[in-house]
Amino acid sequence: MVDLPGLDDLEPQGQRVLVRADLNVPLDGHKVTDDLRLEASLPTINALRDAGARVILMSHLGRPKGEVHDDLRLAPVADRLAELLGAPVAAASDIIDDDAHRVVDQLSDGDVALLENLRFDPRETANDPSFARSLAALGDAYVGDAFGAAHRAHASVVGVPRVLQPAVAGELLRAEVETLSRLLESPEQPFVAILGGAKVSDKLGVIDNLLQRVDRLLIGGAMCFTFLRAGGAAVGASRVEEDQLDTVADLIAQAGDRLVLPVDIVAADEFEADADHELVAADAIPDDWMGLDIGPATIRTFADVIRGARTLVWNGPMGVFEWDAFAAGTMGVARAVAECGGFTVIGGGDSAAAVRSMGFADQVSHVSTGGGASLEFLEGVELPGIAALRRT
């Protein structure tokens, strides 16, 4: 952390401070349905406002692929952010053109503005230098605070801090780096990792890196079926990545008794919320049936391991938790993590959504705002958005 400058390294009074935030929140029409990322951005925004900065927020929303989509405009986000701040947020109708300059020019000390969706311009994801320079021209200093986008080498993440100094990390970004670094560098034992979600191929790097550190690795979600199949189990029509079976077999051998796999599965006859389903042994899923959740014996086994953890990280749900019939596994793990008593980290993405929807978010030590970013960090990869801010 010593080479990652922060807000204390700025003198923001009267300065236009460009803040790359992660305000990529779910919308239902014009209503924000999950405030996690907005709330996580408040400490940086309020610290800059209190110091007299003119705060200019930048963010993406969704995947517009370089084109303007009215349903992905940031005005509803500005409205909700204003409610959380208790202060107006001026929303520009463009990113770097006339209205952006008009909105920025009208700011007074302590005011907040929000530029339009960065990804409406294809030059953002292309890390186009001219686009980065145009963004930089709107500010006098740069704050990188979008951990959820820190694994993307985009113009607003790495291009702007190359041309606009000073460039420092915001409170959210520093907190994420500090927390996730603790998992990799100084975890208190026993250290337990729980991984779920759909694809084992997305998490091979994480598994390989964590196996050097953890005492137990619990595997659930659809990715468990590739592990079970690699170990010789009959998994029916469950999702299996055939091209990863040899790699996973090597991981199983490497992990030994540190690896904990499901012993029972809730299987269904089709991938539907109201499908017929039954509890089966994890190594004997019927042909044409697919596993959609871990079973109660597995939940108890996982909970016993979780209960003894002093450090824990969880990334990925245990089943199709959006459907009531297949939510028990994720709910059971979430409850066990909340009751653990150790240093507990939820690695963003669906796990964060599940913990919040189940009311356990305030019972864990840290809920990350970046699913993909946290995974890459836990692989041991230096994220571009962090490297761009480090002092050399």
Side-chain angles (χ1 to χ4, degrees):
M1 290 294 291
V2 294
D3 62 345
L4 192 62
L7 298 184
D8 290 344
D9 296 285
L10 288 183
E11 295 180 2
Q13 173 68 45
Q15 298 292 296
R16 300 170 302 157
V17 180
L18 274 174
V19 180
R20 181 38 165 115
D22 182 9
L23 309 180
N24 182 28
V25 293
L27 294 178
D28 182 3
H30 292 284
K31 180 179 175 58
V32 174
T33 59
D34 187 339
D35 289 337
L36 171 64
R37 286 174 169 161
L38 302 187
E39 292 169 350
S41 297
L42 296 181
T44 293
I45 298 169
N46 281 324
L48 290 170
R49 291 183 64 226
D50 292 345
R54 303 177 183 192
V55 183
I56 306 157
L57 301 172
M58 307 181 288
S59 180
H60 72 282
L61 178 65
R63 297 178 178 177
K65 298 183 178 180
E67 298 179 353
V68 175
H69 291 260
D70 286 339
D71 61 336
L72 293 177
R73 289 191 177 275
L74 280 166
V77 178
D79 291 341
R80 179 57 184 151
L81 188 59
E83 293 175 357
L84 294 172
L85 285 170
V89 175
S93 60
D94 56 44
I95 308 168
I96 55 174
D97 296 320
D98 291 347
D99 197 53
H101 283 271
R102 179 191 63 80
V103 167
V104 169
D105 289 344
Q106 291 180 353
L107 292 177
S108 299
D109 295 356
D111 286 350
V112 181
L114 174 60
L115 304 181
E116 188 51 278
N117 191 337
L118 291 165
R119 292 187 184 171
F120 283 176
D121 193 314
R123 294 176 295 175
E124 161 67 1
T125 56
N127 191 19
D128 183 274
S130 66
F131 185 64
R133 287 192 297 269
S134 295
L135 286 170
L138 293 167
D140 303 305
Y142 174 87
V143 174
D145 208 35
F147 179 73
H151 59 316
R152 306 296 189 194
H154 293 171
S156 64
V157 177
V158 300
V160 176
R162 287 196 187 112
V163 296
L164 180 60
Q165 297 290 326
V168 306
E171 298 295 290
L172 183 160
L173 186 63
R174 285 179 64 87
E176 294 272 16
V177 171
E178 184 175 8
T179 298
L180 295 175
S181 295
R182 178 175 169 180
L183 296 179
L184 297 180
E185 296 169 7
S186 56
E188 186 178 352
Q189 309 299 134
F191 180 15
V192 173
I194 312 163
L195 296 178
K199 297 173 65 177
V200 67
S201 56
D202 291 341
K203 295 178 179 171
L204 288 174
V206 176
I207 293 169
D208 187 59
N209 202 30
L210 288 179
L211 275 178
Q212 303 172 42
R213 295 168 169 82
V214 300
D215 298 282
R216 289 289 186 275
L217 175 61
L218 316 182
I219 302 290
M223 61 185 286
C224 79
F225 300 111
T226 302
F227 277 83
L228 290 166
R229 172 78 170 276
V235 298
S238 303
R239 181 170 184 169
V240 171
E241 291 180 85
E242 300 284 347
D243 61 339
Q244 300 298 331
L245 289 173
D246 289 343
T247 300
V248 169
D250 290 342
L251 288 172
I252 292 171
Q254 177 188 343
D257 61 6
R258 288 175 295 162
L259 181 66
V260 184
L261 294 174
V263 295
D264 59 346
I265 293 292
V266 179
D269 62 350
E270 58 181 339
F271 190 77
E272 297 291 344
D274 58 353
D276 288 339
H277 56 279
E278 61 183 39
L279 184 66
V280 299
D283 60 353
I285 300 173
D287 291 346
D288 299 326
W289 283 59
M290 63 191 70
L292 296 184
D293 195 15
I294 59 174
T298 301
I299 295 171
R300 289 192 295 271
T301 298
F302 282 14
D304 286 343
V305 175
I306 292 165
R307 194 172 295 117
R310 297 306 306 154
T311 305
L312 181 144
V313 60
W314 176 22
N315 184 289
M318 297 293 99
V320 190
F321 73 97
E322 299 90 346
W323 296 341
D324 290 346
F326 312 107
T330 301
M331 173 71 86
V333 167
R335 181 177 291 108
V337 170
E339 296 172 353
C340 165
F343 180 68
T344 51
V345 177
I346 309 300
D350 286 339
S351 301
V355 166
R356 284 174 65 81
S357 69
M358 295 168 185
F360 295 129
D362 60 349
Q363 295 173 253
V364 299
S365 305
H366 180 78
V367 180
S368 177
T369 57
S374 65
L375 279 176
E376 290 197 22
F377 195 103
L378 292 172
E379 284 184 39
V381 174
E382 180 164 57
L383 308 186
I386 295 171
L389 300 175
R390 287 200 187 277
R391 292 189 174 121
T392 56

